[in-house]
Amino acid sequence: MTIQDTDVLVIGAGPAGTVAASIINKAGYKVRIVEKMKFPRFVIGESLLPRCMEALEEAGFLDAVKEKNFQEKGGAKFVKNGKTCDYQFADQFTKGWQWTWQVPRAEFDKTLADTVEKMGVPIDYETTVTAIEFHGSESITTVADKNGDASHIRARFIVDGSGYGRVIPRLFNMDRPSNLPSRKALFTHTVDLHRSMSDEPNRITIVVHKHSVWVWIIPFSTGITSLGFVGDPSFFDAYPGNPEEQLRGMIEAEPYLKERFKDIEFLFGPRVLESWSSTTDRFFGEGFVLTGNVTEFLDPVFSSGVTLATASSQIAGKLVVEKLKGNPVDWEKDYMKVMMQGVDTFRSYVMAWYEGTLDTIFFADNQDLLIKSQICSVLAGYVWDLENPYVKNHKTGLHRLASMITYRDSQLSSSI
């Protein structure tokens, strides 16, 4: 059986894998990527956050992505019962990027993968990891190609950016249940003939359909729009028929969508994704590091997936370089702790969203502009800015703010 040698084996050619691979490759080390799927391939996570841009820039991907003319995104709009809350990234509290893109992920991910290949990093597509043996930091990974032919890859270190595949956590029994409830999404891409009825396409729109049920509307520059409902699995049981009939019934039942998406063409039969939340108790080991969704995937509501994927790989890639140089690396302090800060901040916002706490904040009258800018920074992905009180105190700050708003409004009502 053949053995290939590399300094770093990267599992997965999505944003997590390619960002890490590029950073390590640019440092002069030999990198190889193995990817289970054939690209382009469909995946959700189509609305990026400005924090992603820092990782894409350091990886050397920005010029290639700009050439694709993806839809620029300058904010996020929330809608509920006729009320609107607009967050513009230009108004955010944290200094950083003030825009990003909305992207069909098949094309976006392939752009990153093609670019890293041009940098000299080979990608073995349709190649599955079947086993890994660690010998200290070094490893022998067994892979099988699409024909079932097996080979070995010997590496000094492994970066697992396999996303939902969760290769190392599954091989070494590291998966742990998430503390988030199980949820379901039903979604498709549409030919958005009536986009003129909205004030898009330069931001994502999130519609509160009912308690704990919401809709994403993500317009692309091509005139195609991604549309999906997310909620408790029991919500979908109220709509009979096949997935297309269910989705059309949901569109009909939501006033904000009814006219714009009435009888609209679906580019593919609506797809289902559910029970996506997962985690692991550690993000690294002696010869590996986990990045992106392999660490933890929370929920699609705040588009945190690609941000955590690219940011974690940006950090991990630089730490791997230090490791290969022979320098000491404190993975717990400089990686695990840092990533948990971001994950936990997003988790607090996800939980506050489904509890209804953020409804109170987002749709309040007479909002404090400073507080709104601080929350906007979180929605832009700047979840590591501890100068922001709604990052530093993410566990308590939102509930305290919502209570203050509720109290203020009750006092105003009683004085009328």
Side-chain angles (χ1 to χ4, degrees):
M1 191 178 296
T2 61
I3 296 182
Q4 302 174 75
D5 286 289
T6 189
D7 291 317
V8 178
L9 172 64
V10 175
I11 305 172
T18 52
V19 165
S22 173
I23 289 172
I24 298 166
N25 175 71
K26 288 201 296 181
Y29 293 97
K30 187 177 180 181
V31 185
R32 187 171 206 91
I33 299 176
V34 293
E35 166 57 50
K36 185 176 182 179
M37 305 295 290
K38 180 180 179 180
F39 278 28
R41 53 88 175 94
F42 178 85
V43 66
I44 64 167
E46 300 153 323
S47 188
L48 309 184
L49 300 183
R51 175 58 180 84
C52 297
M53 305 294 273
E54 296 180 15
L56 296 176
E57 183 176 40
E58 185 163 358
F61 293 154
L62 278 184
D63 288 343
V65 178
K66 285 178 180 177
E67 289 178 1
K68 295 298 179 178
N69 294 315
F70 292 126
Q71 175 61 54
E72 291 190 6
K73 172 188 175 183
K77 180 175 69 173
F78 297 85
V79 177
K80 180 182 181 181
N81 296 333
K83 295 191 73 172
T84 296
C85 176
D86 239 330
Y87 284 94
Q88 297 295 324
F89 297 141
D91 299 329
Q92 68 189 16
F93 172 80
T94 306
K95 291 182 179 179
W97 285 81
Q98 298 181 346
W99 65 277
T100 184
W101 288 288
Q102 292 165 176
V103 297
R105 282 288 302 280
E107 186 177 1
F108 175 75
D109 288 14
K110 190 173 188 304
T111 299
L112 303 191
D114 289 349
T115 303
V116 84
E117 277 196 296
K118 291 176 183 177
M119 295 174 175
V121 177
I123 303 178
D124 299 324
Y125 289 104
E126 298 180 278
T127 299
T128 303
V129 173
T130 59
I132 302 174
E133 294 181 10
F134 286 101
H135 305 280
S137 292
E138 295 190 355
S139 59
I140 299 289
T141 298
T142 304
V143 298
D145 64 19
K146 63 181 179 180
N147 299 317
D149 295 329
S151 60
H152 293 315
I153 301 173
R154 182 164 43 214
R156 296 170 61 190
F157 205 85
I158 296 177
V159 176
D160 187 351
S162 58
Y164 296 122
R166 304 183 62 77
V167 170
I168 286 180
R170 288 180 176 174
L171 284 177
F172 295 92
N173 194 31
M174 294 167 56
D175 273 333
R176 299 293 180 266
S178 171
N179 66 343
L180 295 174
S182 175
R183 295 190 176 92
K184 177 178 177 178
L186 182 65
F187 55 92
T188 189
H189 285 177
T190 71
V191 180
D192 197 355
L193 298 178
H194 308 302
R195 185 177 291 180
S196 59
M197 297 175 66
S198 75
D199 55 355
E200 299 158 8
N202 63 338
R203 60 206 186 284
I204 185 176
T205 297
I206 294 177
V207 182
V208 180
H209 178 60
K210 56 174 62 179
H211 179 65
S212 295
V213 179
W214 59 277
V215 188
W216 78 64
I217 304 171
I218 306 173
F220 303 137
S221 59
T222 56
I224 303 303
T225 290
S226 179
L227 176 67
F229 277 74
V230 181
D232 186 276
S234 63
F235 162 74
F236 298 86
D237 296 338
Y239 292 87
N242 60 38
E244 178 165 346
E245 292 168 333
Q246 285 184 307
L247 186 53
R248 292 196 183 277
M250 294 173 196
I251 292 171
E252 178 70 19
E254 171 49 55
Y256 190 83
L257 308 178
K258 183 176 179 180
E259 292 303 318
R260 175 174 168 184
F261 294 103
K262 183 178 182 180
D263 299 325
I264 207 77
E265 178 187 353
F266 293 168
L267 292 183
F268 53 81
R271 301 179 185 181
V272 172
L273 180 66
E274 56 186 323
S275 301
W276 50 68
S277 297
S278 57
T279 188
T280 184
D281 54 8
R282 58 192 176 103
F283 295 176
F284 63 91
E286 186 174 356
F288 69 89
V289 63
L290 311 179
T291 65
N293 290 350
V294 188
T295 58
E296 180 158 5
F297 181 72
L298 296 169
D299 192 272
V301 65
F302 297 121
S303 306
S304 62
V306 178
T307 295
L308 292 175
T310 54
S312 64
S313 290
Q314 179 187 19
I315 297 166
K318 290 185 283 189
L319 292 175
V320 170
V321 170
E322 293 304 309
K323 170 77 173 176
L324 295 177
K325 287 179 178 178
N327 296 326
V329 175
D330 189 335
W331 288 99
E332 181 70 32
K333 174 179 175 288
D334 296 332
Y335 186 68
M336 181 84 177
K337 185 176 180 181
V338 172
M339 287 314 303
M340 286 309 301
Q341 164 64 43
V343 169
D344 285 342
T345 300
F346 273 127
R347 190 200 319 276
S348 291
Y349 278 71
V350 168
M351 294 176 73
W353 170 258
Y354 285 104
E355 293 165 354
T357 303
L358 286 182
D359 276 16
T360 302
I361 297 169
F362 287 175
F363 302 107
D365 296 324
N366 303 314
Q367 295 186 37
D368 182 290
L369 294 182
L370 175 59
I371 293 175
K372 187 174 181 180
S373 74
Q374 292 164 341
I375 292 175
C376 183
S377 288
V378 175
L379 302 181
Y382 287 98
V383 290
W384 292 276
D385 178 11
L386 295 180
E387 296 298 315
N388 182 347
Y390 290 95
V391 172
K392 184 176 181 179
N393 304 313
H394 59 84
K395 290 184 178 179
T396 58
L398 295 175
H399 291 93
R400 187 181 300 118
L401 176 59
S403 296
M404 290 170 56
I405 292 170
T406 300
Y407 176 75
R408 180 202 67 183
D409 291 349
S410 68
Q411 292 297 104
L412 288 173
S413 297
S414 64
S415 65
I416 296 175

